[in-house]
């Protein structure tokens, strides 16, 4: 879970590499480094800490040259310090390498290389790779990399450069993501597309098991066996501005504010006047929907929380059993997935290792796999039989916000498409749902106007030891995501639970002043949730409620009410999550935390 970049061309490589790494910092930010070939030598600068520390080093000791590689790290093997930061050099200093992933057999390889006289400087698994390349080199870098990969086991995207062949960079991919970008007389490598968007929109996604050889004139893609692969680059439509802060103090706030536009964009062109949904990329064979016996949703983190909403929504729309599992659990179970089961794997990045593994298991078991993902060309999208892209644009803040909302919209679209096909959603029901979906962007804009009120409430919550989020049905699903948002950026202990579960144990923890956030939008569960609310209020809780604007009851029991516009209960998660995202943001800001890059986390979890 690191970010890697490479550049060959006429520009100052240091500037290109550092600017591209800045856009990849969400993937890891405990150390960073670059290596540049100039005057027949490789210069390396690296530093523990965020990219700013590397900037400081480079200000003192700049590197010159037009060919280079770079890395931003999220440590797996070896503590985050200067020595363990990438790039890593071999003993001769002629080969240099950056790596994203894990080399599982690095210990026996290291022992062998040490015996052969290689000198190691770091505790990383990565360093063995560069020594292997030096060991295998006999005049052709790509062949040396190919033979080295043959000796290593694990997951990787790696980028290698040698002073013996200036003007050339070789990269390879097995599991961790890698893209190539093409410019006029220049070529780029990166872990993802936004990293190189300011320079090019012409991009080729490298697949698992492929190697790529880049020069200023372009790239040659090959299989690990050396067979050349011809594939045209694609033109991406994201613009570079989407990956910049655009005047907001943090990416997270910008992304929260982008949600009305994201909802609109994810719906654009997909809803027909008769309420049916036309989903390009979802191309189910005739009779598949009618014969569906189960849907299995799998995902991690925020995507899993979107899946919790999806479970209830699809259950209501399809009237068949819907299962949901964390991908890291599902992949090691013996699940009753088979033909007739539609597996929906949800992932913003489309690169989460566990979600990929769970999706592959489902496919092996005979299930058709549909990817709900934000990243065009991601591994998940290429593994899947069907793809529904959310159109949230690049999400940079580690704490996911707009991608979650877009996933919710994706599940509603699927419910419409599959429900109408099965005949379990009526035409009238579909028309009503489609109409309400179209009204959501305006309503989401109205929710954002509560920002200042939420900031004031956040001031009273920040720093308290424990906080609880409760709700029932879809409100519980939203509570899980609200709680995760708060804990990941405020570092406060936070738990979500169904309101009905409190009295089975957790109520013992509610004392005078304990903050309890309640989501209260589901009419058929309203009275039940109000009872839960009374239980916590009677124990002295400080209650923040998220409820519809025309709710006249809730203020009797809550200390603060955050009011959202009314919609059909089925769609309320799209609106009720926004105040909770803003609450998390303002609490973290109040506490002075690094909101976009919370400690210990990274945006894409591409290792198990
Ligand atoms: C939380 C967050 C993570 C991700 C999780 C899955 O804000 O971002 O919990 O949701 O790591 O990531 P994707 O959706 O890329 O598979």
């Amino acid at each position: 879970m690191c970010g890697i970049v490479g550049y060959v061309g006429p520009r100052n490589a240091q500037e290109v590499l550092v600017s591209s790494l800045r856009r990849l910092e969400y993937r890891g930010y405990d150390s960073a480094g670059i290596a540049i070939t100039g005057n027949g030598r490789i210069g390396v600068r690296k530093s523990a800490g965020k990219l700013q520390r590397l900037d400081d080093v480079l200000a003192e000791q700049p590197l010159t040259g037009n060919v280079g590689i770079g890395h931003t790290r999220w440590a797996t093997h070896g503590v985050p310090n200067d020595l363990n930061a990438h790039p890593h050099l071999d003993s001769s200093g002629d080969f240099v390498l950056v790596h994203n992933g894990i080399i599982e057999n690095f210990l026996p390889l290291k022992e062998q290389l040490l015996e052969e006289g290689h000198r190691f400087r770091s505790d990383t698994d990565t360093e063995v790779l560069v020594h292997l390349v030096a060991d295998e080199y006999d005049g052709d870098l790509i062949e040396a990399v190919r033979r080295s990969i043959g000796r290593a086991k694990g997951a990787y995207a790696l980028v290698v450069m040698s002073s013996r062949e200036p003007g050339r960079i070789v990269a390879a991919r097995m599991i961790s993501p890698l893209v190539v970008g093409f410019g006029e007389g220049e070529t780029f490598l990166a872990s993802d597309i936004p990293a190189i968007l300011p320079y090019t929109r012409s991009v080729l996604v490298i697949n698992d098991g492929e190697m790529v050889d880049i020069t200023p004139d372009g790239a040659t893609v090959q299989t690990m066996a050396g067979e050349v692969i011809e594939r045209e680059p694609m033109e991406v439509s994201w613009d570079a501005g989407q990956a910049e802060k655009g005047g907001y103090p943090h990416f997270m706030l910008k992304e929260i504010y982008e949600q009305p536009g994201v909802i609109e964009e994810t719906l654009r062109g997909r809803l027909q006047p008769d309420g049916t949904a036309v989903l390009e990329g979802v191309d189910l064979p005739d009779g598949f929907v009618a014969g569906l016996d189960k849907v299995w949703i799998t995902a991690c983190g925020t995507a899993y929380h979107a899946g919790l909403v999806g479970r209830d929504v699809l259950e209501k729309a399809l009237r068949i059993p819907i299962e949901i599992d964390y991908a890291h659990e599902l992949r090691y179970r013996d699940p009753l997935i088979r033909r007739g089961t539609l597996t929906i794997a949800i992932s913003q990045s489309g690169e989460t290792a566990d979600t990929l593994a769970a999706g592959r298991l489902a496919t092996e078991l005979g299930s058709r796999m549909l990817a709900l993902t934000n990243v065009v060309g991601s591994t998940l999208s290429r593994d899947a039989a069907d793809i529904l892209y959310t159109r949230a644009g690049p999400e940079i803040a580690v704490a996911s916000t707009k991608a979650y909302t877009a996933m919710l919209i994706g599940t509603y679209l699927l419910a419409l498409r599959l429900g109408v096909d099965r005949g379990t959603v009526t035409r009238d029901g579909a028309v009503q749902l489609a109409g309400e979906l179209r009204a959501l962007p305006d309503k989401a804009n109205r929710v954002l106007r509560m920002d200042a009120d939420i900031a004031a409430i956040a001031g009273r919550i920040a720093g308290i030891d424990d906080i609880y989020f409760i709700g029932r049905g879809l409100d519980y699903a939203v509570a899980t995501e609200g709680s995760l948002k708060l804990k990941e950026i405020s570092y406060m202990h936070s738990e979500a639970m169904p309101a009905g579960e409190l009295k089975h144990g957790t109520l013992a923890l509610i004392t005078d002043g304990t903050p309890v956030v309640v989501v209260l939008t589901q009419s058929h569960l309203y009275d039940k949730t109000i009872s839960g609310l009374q239980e916590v209020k009677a124990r002295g809780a400080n209650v923040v409620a998220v409820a519809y604007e025309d709710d006249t009851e809730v203020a009797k029991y809550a200390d603060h009410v955050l009011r959202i516009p009314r919609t059909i209960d089925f769609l309320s998660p799209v609106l009720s999550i926004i105040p909770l995202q803003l609450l998390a943001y303002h609490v973290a800001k109040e506490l002075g935390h690094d909101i976009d890059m919370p400690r210990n986390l990274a945006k894409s979890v591409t290792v198990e």
Side-chain angles (χ1 to χ4, degrees), residues 215-473:
T215 66
D217 301 326
T220 313
V221 181
Q222 311 184 356
T223 62
M224 298 285 179
E227 193 184 319
V228 173
I229 297 169
E230 302 288 348
R231 207 166 52 239
E232 286 300 305
M234 62 181 181
E235 284 297 308
V236 291
S237 57
W238 298 354
D239 79 68
Q242 281 181 287
E244 305 293 338
K245 278 190 201 150
Y248 287 89
H250 299 98
F251 280 112
M252 182 180 178
L253 191 62
K254 174 183 175 241
E255 289 162 5
I256 291 173
Y257 271 80
E258 281 173 350
Q259 290 177 111
V262 165
I263 299 168
E264 199 162 338
E265 194 52 28
T266 303
L267 290 172
R268 192 170 46 80
R270 288 169 164 171
L271 286 177
Q272 302 302 297
D274 66 356
T276 51
V278 177
L279 306 180
E280 72 287 354
V282 178
D283 197 12
L284 302 167
D286 287 349
F288 181 81
V289 178
L292 251 190
D293 59 19
K294 197 185 276 179
V295 173
W296 212 303
I297 300 172
T298 190
C300 302
T302 287
Y304 175 85
H305 296 152
L308 286 177
V309 173
R311 178 192 58 193
D312 289 13
V313 163
L314 291 171
E315 186 177 69
K316 207 165 170 60
L318 305 186
R319 310 309 301 141
I320 50 173
I322 318 287
E323 305 267 358
I324 177 162
D325 272 292
Y326 286 115
H328 37 86
E329 289 291 310
L330 181 63
R331 66 182 290 193
Y332 294 114
R333 293 231 319 269
D334 188 7
L336 293 172
I337 294 179
R338 51 192 166 221
R339 275 182 102 73
T341 305
L342 175 68
T343 301
I344 303 180
I346 311 179
S347 171
Q348 185 284 129
S349 61
E351 303 294 347
T352 299
D354 286 315
T355 309
L356 295 178
R360 286 172 187 166
L361 171 70
T363 306
E364 271 163 38
L365 293 172
S367 164
R368 195 173 170 93
M369 203 259 283
L370 183 149
L372 178 57
T373 180
N374 193 39
V375 179
V376 175
S378 57
T379 309
L380 188 69
S381 73
R382 282 174 297 119
D383 281 356
D386 303 286
I387 314 161
L388 178 55
Y389 284 118
T390 51
R391 299 179 186 143
E395 190 177 63
I396 307 297
V398 166
S400 180
T401 52
K402 62 176 182 171
Y404 170 81
T405 327
M407 287 166 185
L408 298 186
I409 298 296
T411 60
Y412 293 121
L413 287 169
L414 282 173
L416 268 179
R417 160 79 166 76
L418 304 179
V420 169
D421 257 24
R422 274 182 79 77
T424 39
V425 171
T426 61
R427 289 284 169 177
D428 285 352
V431 170
Q432 192 208 2
L433 183 57
E436 294 287 345
L437 278 167
R438 286 192 199 94
L440 284 177
D442 274 353
K443 292 182 182 177
N445 261 320
R446 280 165 53 200
V447 180
L448 289 168
R449 290 188 209 137
M450 279 191 291
D451 196 359
D453 298 342
I454 296 173
I457 296 171
R460 282 174 229 136
I461 290 177
I464 292 183
D465 286 344
D466 306 295
I467 177 165
Y468 298 89
F469 286 74
I470 59 170
R472 295 183 82 132

Side-chain angles (χ1 to χ4, degrees), residues 8 14 31 70 75 176 246 266 278 295 299 308 313 347 365 475 482 490 493 507 520 576 584:
V8 275
Q14 176 174 310
S31 47
S176 306
T266 303
V278 177
V295 173
L308 286 177
V313 163
S347 171
L365 293 172
D475 289 335
S490 73
H493 167 246
L507 201 53
L520 201 64
S576 58

